[in-house]
Amino acid sequence: MNIQKGSLVRAKSGRDKGKFFLVLSVEGHFAFIADGKTRKLEKPKKKNLLHLAATTVVYTGSAETNPQIKRILSDLKND
């Protein structure tokens, strides 16, 4: 599965293992991810693509605030 901007991903390693995140951008072998709660939009986590598991869900809208990211993640995880 290809990881791109807007993808819903699950962390495979690190202290955030098992948590779901929204990909804000992809640069080379790294993705910048946020969940709106522990990892805010203002300071996203830089994570190696090898440490992320892609899901089949991709969000196509814009995520501009932390509450929007939290709502997107809760809606996408329930689908």
Side-chain angles (χ1 to χ4, degrees), residues 4-8 22-23 57-63 68 72 76:
Q4 61 187 5
K5 181 180 179 180
S7 295
L8 178 68
L22 186 68
V23 175
V57 180
V58 177
Y59 180 71
T60 56
S62 66
Q68 283 180 335
I72 291 165
L76 293 178

Side-chain angles (χ1 to χ4, degrees), residues 6-79:
S7 295
L8 178 68
V9 295
R10 184 181 48 81
K12 294 193 299 187
S13 64
R15 81 174 110 189
D16 51 6
K17 181 178 180 178
K19 294 182 183 176
F20 287 91
F21 295 92
L22 186 68
V23 175
L24 302 177
S25 67
V26 177
E27 296 177 8
H29 296 287
F30 295 97
F32 290 90
I33 58 175
D35 66 357
K37 188 175 181 180
T38 57
R39 280 295 172 180
K40 305 275 185 180
L41 186 64
E42 298 80 27
K43 190 171 180 177
K45 171 78 175 167
K46 181 179 179 182
K47 193 114 171 128
N48 191 320
L49 293 176
L50 296 175
H51 299 159
L52 296 173
T55 62
T56 58
V57 180
V58 177
Y59 180 71
T60 56
S62 66
E64 299 174 356
T65 65
N66 291 313
Q68 283 180 335
I69 292 175
K70 285 193 262 186
R71 191 173 337 104
I72 291 165
L73 287 174
S74 68
D75 291 345
L76 293 178
K77 284 192 297 187
N78 292 332
D79 286 346

